[in-house]
Amino acid sequence: MPVLAVQGGILGLVGKVVTVGVGTSLVMPIYDTKCSVSARIQNTRDIGIVTGDGSSDSPLVMTYIKKRVLNELQVGDLIVTSGEGGNYISDIPIGSISEIKVLDYDSSLNIKVAPVIDFSRIEMVIVSDLEKLGTGISSQPATAK
C-alpha cells in the first residue's frame, strides 16, 4: 500500500507499507536503499527507477533515463510515480530534479532528485488501498522509529 503525506499543501510519496500489525504498520520510506519506485519525468514522460541511499537528508537517485533526453531536462523538473507495476498510483509527486550527471561509462543519466516531502517533519500520513481506491484512503498519525 502506498503511503503519502501532505506538506505545505503538496501531496507527496513517503513510501510503502511492508508489514501490517493489529494497531500499527511498518513503512519503508522511499529513501531506503531497498525501496525502488517506478517513476516518470513529468515533462518528457520518460520512465526510470527512483531509489534512496538510506538517508532522509540525501537526495534520491533516478536511473535508467537515456542520455538522448539530456537537452530536454532541467533542474526543477517534477518526478512523479509512473503507475507501472501496480505498486503505486500514477502521478504522485516524488520530487524534483536537483542535479543531472552524465557518466561516460553509462548509457543512462544519473539524476539526483530532491524529495517533495521533508521526512523530518512528517506528522500524519495517508495510506492508500489500491484495491479499494477512492474508499480505502485513511489518515494515521506518523510515528518515527
Side-chain angles (χ1 to χ4, degrees), residues 19-68:
T19 305
V20 178
V22 175
T24 61
S25 295
L26 182 62
V27 174
M28 179 186 297
I30 58 174
Y31 62 79
D32 191 299
T33 57
K34 296 176 188 165
C35 189
S36 296
V37 179
S38 178
R40 181 177 65 240
I41 300 172
Q42 194 170 47
N43 70 332
T44 67
R45 312 301 287 171
D46 288 290
I47 294 177
I49 301 292
V50 171
T51 56
D53 74 350
S55 171
S56 63
D57 298 329
S58 299
L60 305 169
V61 177
M62 186 173 200
T63 53
Y64 302 110
I65 301 296
K66 299 294 181 195
K67 289 180 178 178
R68 63 179 165 72

Side-chain angles (χ1 to χ4, degrees), residues 118-135:
D118 180 351
F119 292 95
S120 67
R121 298 184 182 267
I122 293 176
E123 294 180 13
M124 186 171 288
V125 297
I126 301 165
V127 178
S128 177
D129 184 347
L130 294 177
E131 292 179 10
K132 299 177 183 176
L133 188 62
T135 60

